[in-house]
Amino acid sequence: MKLAALACLLVAFPLVGGEFYVNLASQIFIFAIFAASINLLLGYGGLATLGHASYLGVAAYTSALLGLKLGLGHWIAAPAALLGTTLMACLFGLIALRATGLGFLMLTLALSQVLWGTAYRWVALTDGDNGLRGLSRPFHLDDAASFYYFALAATAASLWLMARFVGSPFGAALRGTRDQPRRMSALGHNVWLIRWVSFVYAGFWGAVSGLLFVYYHKYIHPISLSLTNSAEGLLAVIAGGSGTLGGPVVGAAIVMLLKNYVSAYIERWNTLLGLVFVLIVVFMPEGVVPGVKRLWLRFASRT
Amino acid sequence: MRIANLTHGALFMLGAYLGVSILKLMPNLWVAALLGGLAVAAFGGLLERFILRKLAGNILGQVLVTLGFAYIIADLCLVVWGGDPIPIPTPEFLQQPLRVAGFAFPAYRVAVVVLSVLVGMALHLLMERTRLGAMIRAGVDDMQMARAVGIPVSKLFTLVFCLGAGLAGAGGVIGGPIMSAYPGLDADMLPLALIVVILGGVGSLAGAFAGSFITGFVYTFGVALFPQLAYVILFLPMIFVIAFRPRGLFGKFAA
C-alpha cells in the first residue's frame, strides 16, 4: 500500500515538478543505485569500501569511449561496459579480498586511486582533465521528463533486484559472514567465496549506476573516479543507515540535495562535506533511517 | 596504533604550506621543517584527543572522520594559500650538485635521503630500544593489560599520533623543494603512502622503508619510461606482494 502510494507519487512527479527538480530527482535515483550497491558490501557484508567509484567511473568511461572512439551504438556499448566493469570487479575482488577490515579498505582505495590517476594522466585516451564530451543518450531521451522515467524504471528494477539478493538465502549467508565469519566457516560455508560473489555483484550495480550517470550528464570527467565520489557514496549509505534497504536511498537524497542546494550558496562545498562527515559519525552513527525508526517506535509505544 | 588515518596526505600538504609561510619570515628550511612539523603535530594531537579517541575500535568511523578532516584541511589550504603551486627554494649550500666518482647527484636529494635514514633509525631505536617504545608496543598489543600495569596508554597514543602527524608535516616542508606546494598534493601523496604501507606491512618500520624504496624506484622509473601509465606500474608490485604475502613484506599482523 505504502509502496503503491510512493510509486504513484514518483510517476506523477514530472507532471507537477519543474525541469530543475525533475533533473535533480534523476540524479538522486542514479546516486541511490550507487549508494545501494555500496550498501551491499558495507551494510550486509561488513566490508567498508572506499573505491566504489571505480565501477561507476570505469563503466561510464568504457561506454563513452566505445561510442566515441569506435563509433559503436548503445546496444553494444552498454552491455560491453557492464561486462567489462564486472570482469574488473572479479579481478579487483581477488586482490582486495586478500584482506578484510582496514586492509580491504586500503586496497580498494589504492586500486581506485590507480584508476583515477590513469584517467587523469592518460590524456591520449581519456583527454585527462578536459573529460570526454559530445556523448549521447540512448533512445533519444533528451528531455528531462523522459529521462526521469527511464532512470526511475532502472532504479526501481535495480533496487528490487538488490533487495531480492539481500533477502535470499545467499544474502542471509552474507550477513552471517559479516557477524560471525569463523562460525560460518565452521558451518561449512566458503566465507571468501560469499564475499567475492557479493563484491562482484556490487561492482555490477556500481557499473549500472555509472551507465546512467554518463547518460544523464553526457559528459565524463576523472573526478567521477575520485576518492571524493567513493566517499560521497559511503557518506550517503552511513547517513541513511547502512544495512537497511531504504537507508541508502534516503542518504543519496540527502547528499544530492545538500550538494545541489548548498553548493549554490556556499563556495566551500568540500569543507561542508568534511563537516557533514564528522558530524554524522560523531552524532548519528547509526544513520537517519534507523534513528527515525527508533524514535517512531518509542513514539508508537507511548500511545 | 591501528588507527585508520586518511588525513596524512592532507597533513603533508598542510606542512608544505606552513613551510611556505614560515620561510617568508625566516629563510631557513630546517627551522621551517621543525616549526611546521611541530604545528602539524599539535593539530594532530587535538584531532586524536577530541575526536578519534571516542571512536576507538570503530574503523569506519575513524576513516570517515579523518577523511572529513582531510577535505576540510585541503579546502582551507586552498582558501588561505590560493590555487597556484608555490615553489619552496632549495637551501643555498645544497644547490650545487654533488660529484662522486664522475656521477653528479643533486645534493639536496642526497641530503633528504640521509635525513630520512636518520629519522628511520631514530624511530627504530625509539620503538625497539627505549622504555617509551616498549610501553607503546605494549599498549598496541594489549591495551587493557598495559593499562592494568600502570602504563598511561591514552597519553602515549596521543603522543604517537602527534609524532606521526608531525613527521608528515615536516616531510611536507622537506619535500617542498622537490615537489613544491600545490592543491591536490594530498591526493597525490595519499595513494603513494598507502601503497608503501600495504607493500611493507602495517606496524613495521623496516616494511615502511622497504616499501618506500620499492615504490620510489618503480614510480620514478615508471614516470620516466611510461608517463601515462605510471600509476598502473606503481600498482603492480602491490598486486604481487598481496597475492603471495597478504600481510605485506614485513608485516606482523594482517592489515
Side-chain angles (χ1 to χ4, degrees):
Chain A
M1 189 57 214
K2 273 184 207 157
L3 268 180
L6 186 65
C8 289
L9 211 67
L10 287 175
V11 169
F13 182 64
L15 305 177
V16 286
E19 187 173 331
F20 173 78
Y21 296 100
V22 173
N23 275 332
L24 185 59
S26 303
Q27 277 178 285
I28 291 176
F29 290 150
I30 296 166
F31 199 57
I33 302 182
F34 181 60
S37 70
I38 294 179
N39 185 37
L40 284 180
L41 291 177
L42 177 71
Y44 296 100
L47 297 163
T49 166
L50 256 187
H52 216 66
S54 313
Y55 311 106
L56 185 145
V58 166
Y61 263 108
T62 315
S63 131
L65 286 171
L66 287 176
L68 282 180
K69 306 263 163 170
L70 299 178
L72 295 176
H74 285 296
W75 282 115
I76 305 175
L82 290 182
L83 185 70
T85 310
T86 310
L87 287 177
M88 187 185 83
C90 295
L91 192 71
F92 278 17
L94 287 180
I95 301 166
L97 284 171
R98 299 289 299 189
T100 52
L102 189 52
F104 176 80
L105 187 126
M106 291 206 291
L107 282 169
T108 51
L109 173 58
L111 289 168
S112 83
Q113 289 284 305
V114 167
L115 289 174
W116 170 78
T118 308
Y120 240 106
R121 306 268 163 84
W122 199 351
V123 179
L125 187 69
T126 63
D127 213 4
D129 201 14
N130 294 324
L132 293 169
R133 55 186 75 241
L135 307 171
S136 65
R137 289 178 183 171
F139 312 122
H140 305 289
L141 295 166
D142 286 316
D143 66 302
S146 51
F147 189 81
Y148 172 89
Y149 286 118
F150 177 65
L152 177 63
T155 307
S158 314
L159 292 179
W160 183 69
L161 283 167
M162 278 189 254
R164 286 291 302 258
F165 178 85
V166 169
S168 70
F170 188 87
L174 178 64
R175 286 197 295 281
T177 64
R178 173 192 64 191
D179 297 334
Q180 295 283 352
R182 291 173 72 186
R183 199 172 291 175
M184 285 299 282
S185 152
L187 285 171
H189 290 276
N190 187 337
V191 172
W192 185 87
L193 191 67
I194 292 172
R195 284 182 175 149
W196 184 74
V197 170
S198 310
F199 188 91
V200 174
Y201 192 71
F204 171 78
W205 289 115
V208 171
S209 71
L211 272 187
L212 289 172
F213 182 84
V214 75
Y215 290 158
Y216 174 79
H217 288 281
K218 296 192 264 187
Y219 172 71
I220 180 78
H221 183 270
I223 201 149
S224 305
L225 281 163
S226 68
L227 169 62
T228 311
N229 202 18
S230 299
E232 280 171 15
L234 202 60
L235 176 68
V237 174
I238 295 180
S242 69
T244 58
L245 286 170
V249 182
V250 175
I254 295 174
V255 172
M256 273 291 158
L257 288 173
L258 262 183
K259 202 173 171 178
N260 274 284
Y261 271 104
V262 181
S263 60
Y265 299 106
I266 302 178
E267 207 182 324
R268 305 257 68 86
W269 158 242
N270 273 337
T271 302
L272 182 80
L273 182 70
L275 278 177
V276 172
F277 267 82
V278 175
L279 292 178
I280 282 189
V281 171
V282 174
F283 293 110
M284 211 188 279
E286 58 187 343
V288 172
V289 169
V292 170
K293 207 187 250 175
R294 192 192 54 196
L295 288 177
W296 172 252
L297 283 178
R298 197 186 291 167
F299 174 76
S301 65
R302 199 178 286 168
T303 49
Chain B
M1 274 170 81
R2 308 200 196 185
I3 284 189
N5 185 10
L6 293 181
T7 50
H8 248 65
L11 292 177
F12 186 89
M13 184 169 79
L14 183 64
Y17 275 120
L18 283 175
V20 168
S21 294
I22 296 168
L23 277 173
K24 275 188 193 146
L25 298 177
M26 51 180 101
N28 183 327
L29 189 75
W30 310 113
V31 175
L34 195 67
L35 289 178
L38 280 177
V40 177
F43 177 80
L46 291 176
L47 181 65
E48 202 276 340
R49 188 71 191 77
F50 290 105
I51 308 269
L52 287 175
R53 175 68 50 81
K54 293 176 184 153
L55 299 169
N58 174 1
I59 289 178
L60 193 62
Q62 293 167 356
V63 166
L64 288 174
V65 163
T66 52
L67 194 63
F69 272 101
Y71 281 133
I72 297 173
I73 294 170
D75 210 38
L76 293 182
C77 281
L78 194 63
V79 176
V80 175
W81 284 283
D84 295 326
I86 306 175
I88 295 180
T90 311
E92 267 174 29
F93 70 100
L94 288 172
Q95 276 174 356
Q96 296 297 320
L98 200 67
R99 292 186 187 285
V100 179
F103 291 101
F105 296 101
Y108 183 72
R109 290 179 185 233
V110 174
V112 169
V113 170
V114 172
L115 186 69
S116 71
V117 171
L118 286 179
V119 170
M121 276 165 44
L123 277 179
H124 176 81
L125 289 177
L126 174 72
M127 290 302 286
E128 303 290 334
R129 291 278 182 274
T130 64
R131 196 178 156 75
L132 185 67
M135 293 200 299
I136 292 169
R137 280 181 289 133
V140 171
D141 284 343
D142 191 337
M143 188 189 285
Q144 290 186 340
M145 198 61 211
R147 282 214 171 107
V149 297
I151 296 175
V153 176
S154 301
K155 275 184 197 149
L156 282 180
F157 274 19
T158 308
L159 189 73
V160 174
F161 200 88
C162 283
L163 186 64
L167 282 176
V173 182
I174 291 169
I178 298 174
M179 291 183 287
S180 77
Y182 57 92
L185 179 62
D186 55 337
D188 281 349
M189 285 310 293
L190 188 62
L192 290 180
L194 280 176
I195 289 179
V196 165
V197 174
I198 294 171
L199 261 180
V202 176
S204 157
L205 279 172
F209 257 81
S212 47
F213 269 106
I214 295 173
T215 310
F217 270 111
V218 171
Y219 190 60
T220 311
F221 279 107
V223 168
L225 296 176
F226 317 95
Q228 299 180 330
L229 296 177
Y231 264 74
V232 178
I233 293 166
L234 183 59
F235 146 84
L236 288 178
M238 193 183 85
I239 294 185
F240 276 110
V241 170
I242 291 299
F244 296 109
R245 255 191 86 83
R247 52 182 59 178
L249 292 174
F250 295 88
K252 285 175 196 147
F253 46 83

